[in-house]
Amino acid sequence: MYVQKCIKGVNGIDLDRAKEMMQDEGLTCNWWRERARTPRTGIGLQEIGERLTHSNLYLHVNAYGAQHPDYAGLVFQETPFISLSAGNVTAPVFSRTSTVWSAHQTALDFATGHGTYLGDCFLFHCWVIVGLRSAVGVRALAEEVRDLKTYSQYSYYQGEGEIAAKIDVPPSQIEKFEHWRTTSTGLNQDPEFIDEWGNPGYIDPATVVNLREAL
Amino acid sequence: MALHNLSAARDALGLDLAALQSRTGFYRAYARNLEGGRSPAGADPIWERLANPADPWLGPAMIASSYRTAAQYAELFDTRLAVELMLHASRAYLDAGAAFGLFLAAGAMSDEALQQAGGPQELRKLSSGTSGPQVAPSNADSPVQQAYLLLAVAARPVLREQFRGDPQAMLRRLSAYGLEPVGAQGIALERYLDIAQLMLADRTTDRDPEARLPDELAGTMASHLAAIGRAHAAALHANRRNEHLWRSAAAPVNIVDLEQTALFGLVAGPESGRSRQVLGRVADLVADDEFAQVTSLAAEQTAEVMPSMTGRATEILRRLDRQRRPGSGDDQASGDYPDDSDDR
């Protein structure tokens, strides 16, 4: 397993709500939030295992806006997964691909609604644990989503692209958020960085990796 | 069915004009903000951090990638804007020490335009490993970047004349890495080398605009390009499955791939007769798949607008525009361009 740092772009919330999410609630999947809204039932623990399946992960990645074949809502309303942006690149990879996909850029792109959203938006910096092999049914492990045949912009050489977390990312794994604002859309957009807020309850992943320091 | 231009391709792809403009706007704004972050004066802290990371090549590499992506979306609604963005990408790739920058520019420009814009000087800097303080050392030795350099040299006489190495020796050395995947489609390097070999074998010095290649040579070149176009088309077809991302033009695929556009431009050349001949053969070979025609159309439309953009290309590639644009923040904005007296 390895620790992957990721960024999640979110819009449609205000600054106070962003602080609540960072410090109290964490990042939750759409399924959780839909259930909390109507009929305010929440999700049952026994349901989680039923939803964490390969077929639901496939739909999350490849049919996000479609009607879910098994549930009442659309895939994005029923999904137990949370898309996170991951990306970093080394010089040898850049030499081979001539492309850098940065997690920051991808998250800001989603936060600004791909250039269509006006107002405040937020980039949450967090970490998750990713298994070296796929383990869709294990809630604690995030999945690397890297279909190189389909999503050919991603590199053959690097784990860049999308990470799918499951159910939630707790506040202790959220380091900070960036506050951005867009005042124009389309060709002349220019997202503006406003400020950055740290999470006092953040736990550095260095404390849980397989390395013990000697004093 | 044969498509006649990229507007028709946009319709065939089912992409919305406003979505494409938004994608271009986002990536252009991102690149410009990173450029602003390279200036110590007045930069937002976040842009300053992203544009000046610990690895000095990474800032220009991110700027280059952002301009490239912006250009790829712009290809589908404004060719002149796309070329302008491609040239900014080219400049940034060169700043990152990547020969891909010269490959992009050479794919769109005639020999005269390349000469005027400083192409030979950039070639010398890349060949001698003196591309400036921001070069990532490993870029210079990368077989893929070397292949881009070779293709540019093989295609453009003005670069071939200036190249101090032996293109055939370079080709032999690179053939050892033949299965290395290149670019977004993971095309095997050996196909690029085969194309370079064909261009090196073409000793035509006749720059008559209506000159044509021997028919067999044109056919072989076209079959390589058609295969590359089909690989690109397969990626486009697969990505349409996710309608949510596709409709927003946010699917992680190069809808137009500048790398392929430049390659098509290098092979077809700036001369109208040869270009019509080669790209016409490609069009025949991929007539059954509209998506496989996108790259060929992008190369054609780039060739149409480029002659009227030579001055702009020179400004961008020689960084003359930076001296007029306040806050552009390029720390190489002036004073480091090689002496033009070095031109031969």
Side-chain angles (χ1 to χ4, degrees), chain B residues 83 86-87 102-121 152-153 155-162 207-209 262 264-272 274-275 299 302-311 313-314 317-318:
Chain B
V83 169
M86 177 276 289
L87 292 164
L102 184 63
F103 170 84
L104 280 185
M109 298 167 74
S110 67
D111 272 29
E112 294 72 23
L114 264 179
Q115 179 88 40
Q116 189 178 318
Q121 292 97 321
V153 165
R156 291 287 177 266
V158 70
L159 298 180
R160 213 188 291 187
E161 289 159 11
Q162 296 283 329
R207 292 288 134 185
D208 172 4
F264 279 44
L266 286 171
V267 174
E271 295 79 21
S272 54
R274 170 175 168 159
S275 179
T302 299
E304 281 169 22
V305 303
M306 201 62 229
S308 64
M309 294 184 70
T310 301
T314 300
L317 292 174
R318 289 188 178 247

Side-chain angles (χ1 to χ4, degrees), chain A residues 61-62 64 91 95-96 98-100 104-105 109 114-115 150-153 157 180 186-187 189-190 193 196, chain B residues 22-23 25-26 28-30 33 46 49 57 65-66 68 93 100 139 145 180-181 184 239 241-242 252-254:
Chain A
V61 174
N62 295 303
Y64 196 70
S95 297
R96 288 161 162 158
S98 302
T99 305
V100 176
H104 184 272
Q105 185 177 59
D109 185 24
H114 307 303
T150 304
Y151 301 119
S152 54
Q153 275 182 339
Y157 304 99
W180 290 77
L187 194 55
Q189 65 191 280
D190 194 7
F193 172 70
E196 190 173 271
Chain B
S22 287
R23 313 304 297 126
F26 175 79
R28 181 175 65 178
Y30 203 92
N33 280 321
I46 190 73
R49 250 181 312 178
W57 60 273
S65 293
S66 300
R68 172 187 178 172
Y93 279 116
F100 188 68
N139 280 345
Q145 292 296 323
E180 184 90 9
N239 272 268
R241 294 282 298 169
N242 189 335
V253 63
N254 298 319

Side-chain angles (χ1 to χ4, degrees), chain B residues 224-259:
Chain B
H224 280 299
L225 299 184
I228 291 170
R230 284 196 184 279
H232 180 226
L236 294 179
H237 285 293
N239 272 268
R240 286 184 87 190
R241 294 282 298 169
N242 189 335
E243 288 181 24
H244 174 76
L245 290 180
W246 185 260
R247 277 200 307 272
S248 309
V253 63
N254 298 319
I255 295 173
V256 175
D257 190 333
L258 273 196
E259 176 186 317

Side-chain angles (χ1 to χ4, degrees), chain B residues 154-187:
Chain B
R156 291 287 177 266
V158 70
L159 298 180
R160 213 188 291 187
E161 289 159 11
Q162 296 283 329
F163 187 56
R164 290 171 181 167
D166 175 1
Q168 290 293 349
M170 197 173 176
L171 190 70
R172 284 193 298 277
R173 179 182 169 274
L174 289 175
S175 65
Y177 305 96
L179 294 181
E180 184 90 9
V182 180
Q185 309 310 327
I187 306 283

Side-chain angles (χ1 to χ4, degrees), chain B residues 20-36:
Chain B
L20 293 166
Q21 289 174 328
S22 287
R23 313 304 297 126
T24 301
F26 175 79
Y27 286 102
R28 181 175 65 178
Y30 203 92
R32 285 179 172 175
N33 280 321
L34 285 172
E35 286 181 323

